[in-house]
Amino acid sequence: MTKTAIITGSTSGIGLGIAKAFAKAGMNVVINGLGSAEDNEPARAEVNALGSGKTAFHGANMMQPEQIKDLVQSTEDKFGQVDIIVNNAGIQFVEKVEDFPTSKWDAIIAINMSSAFHTTRVAFGGMKERGFGRIINVGSVHSLIASPYKSAYVTAKHGILGLTKTLALEGAEHGVTANAVCPGYVETPLVTGQIADTAKARGMSEEEVIKNVILKAQATKQFVQIDQVAALALYLTSDDAAQITGTALPVDGGWSAQ
Ligand code: NAD
């Protein structure tokens, strides 16, 4: 039977890459992100063209629990059930803790962490009943280690790992797995923005930030590619991955090995 996947924050970057990989594998894919259905029609059409499954866009704002509930329920109405959720939506803000805006803290905790609870809680019971489910949380190397000036992001990404482990235990005897994929630096719009913000916070040029900050800890000295993260997410949906649960899987060029 065709599997149905929701991928939050999938109109750009890593989420879009995962949506494309899942569509190519024949799944029904619901993409999500900021902006109107019209704005996001090119992304939906691009994903739709890749596979035999159906594709839809839902514009739930990951700061709004009621909209998140509607994302999951309307997917169940449209496709019958939700088999896979990739909690990927995320934002970043880089600032010294004493200057960190409280509104940015609240937004990062809501989008990068709490939204994963709000999607999962609606779909989890059905997954358990049917004996199959996959929760894939896009964490970060910052789920495992910290960096300065990223208090909210590091907190949210550590938090989502706690949720991942709890979901793994609750789903373990019901065929439902939960894992966190933990990328190092992937070249996406989120990182491009971060280069400029970090340059400002540290008083460095953007070139210095790339060389001495961003790729400093990434042992391979290469950006992770979106397709490499998407391939791991796709593997986690497979039957071969049924015994992988409650894990944090780094895709970080050796960053967290140090
Ligand atoms: P991106 O900026 O390219 O894409 C972010 C997506 O989230 C977009 O589709 C955007 O519309 C959506 N989004 C943002 N706010 C939203 C909201 N309030 N409601 C709904 N959707 C919203 O980012 P990316 O780099 O692809 O990051 C995706 C995930 O990967 C994030 O969780 C990020 O923390 C994580 N991550 C990224 C990197 C990296 O180097 N890019 C590294 C580790 C982890």
Side-chain angles (χ1 to χ4, degrees):
M1 197 183 134
T2 304
K3 295 263 189 296
T4 297
I6 295 173
I7 302 138
T8 69
S10 49
T11 55
S12 163
I14 294 170
L16 181 58
I18 293 173
K20 288 180 182 173
F22 284 14
K24 275 188 204 158
M27 296 182 203
N28 297 324
V29 174
V30 176
I31 65 167
N32 156 262
L34 295 176
S36 67
E38 197 182 1
D39 295 339
N40 290 298
E41 179 52 21
R44 192 207 63 81
E46 192 185 356
V47 173
N48 192 60
L50 294 171
S52 55
K54 298 193 177 82
T55 312
F57 168 79
H58 192 291
N61 185 326
M62 290 297 123
M63 292 183 71
Q64 303 294 336
E66 281 305 311
Q67 294 182 24
I68 299 172
K69 186 176 169 193
D70 189 67
L71 163 64
V72 179
Q73 288 182 336
S74 67
T75 302
E76 288 172 342
D77 291 346
K78 198 172 282 186
F79 297 112
Q81 62 194 54
V82 175
D83 305 294
I84 298 155
I85 297 180
V86 182
N87 292 303
N88 166 78
I91 59 168
Q92 176 61 287
F93 192 79
V94 179
E95 186 53 276
K96 295 184 280 297
V97 70
E98 60 269 35
D99 295 330
F100 209 92
T102 55
S103 60
K104 290 287 184 193
W105 172 277
D106 290 345
I108 289 174
I109 297 297
I111 297 166
N112 298 21
M113 187 181 78
S114 300
S115 71
F117 161 74
H118 291 297
T119 55
T120 304
R121 73 177 188 88
V122 184
F124 208 70
M127 290 178 176
K128 280 167 65 180
E129 268 170 38
R130 292 186 297 274
F132 181 90
R134 295 286 188 267
I135 306 294
I136 300 167
N137 293 325
V138 178
S140 162
V141 70
H142 286 114
S143 297
L144 306 167
I145 52 181
S147 294
Y149 313 122
K150 296 181 181 175
S151 52
Y153 190 84
V154 171
T155 301
K157 293 297 186 183
H158 273 64
I160 207 167
L161 194 49
L163 176 65
T164 304
K165 292 177 183 176
T166 305
L167 297 174
L169 297 181
E170 292 190 27
E173 293 183 49
H174 307 277
V176 181
T177 69
N179 292 285
V181 171
C182 299
Y185 277 110
V186 188
E187 211 167 5
T188 69
L190 180 143
V191 168
T192 314
Q194 212 174 314
I195 293 167
D197 291 348
T198 306
K200 192 168 149 245
R202 297 196 181 211
M204 298 164 96
S205 73
E206 294 194 8
E207 291 69 31
E208 284 172 323
V209 167
I210 293 171
K211 186 163 168 268
N212 299 330
V213 181
I214 296 202
L215 296 182
K216 185 178 175 204
Q218 207 145 299
T220 58
K221 305 294 176 204
Q222 292 175 28
F223 280 106
V224 177
Q225 299 304 306
I226 289 173
D227 288 351
Q228 294 167 340
V229 181
L232 178 58
L234 181 62
Y235 174 69
L236 289 172
T237 70
S238 71
D239 290 339
D240 284 342
Q243 293 300 321
I244 301 175
T245 195
T247 68
L249 295 164
V251 194
D252 66 358
W255 182 346
S256 59
Q258 297 172 62

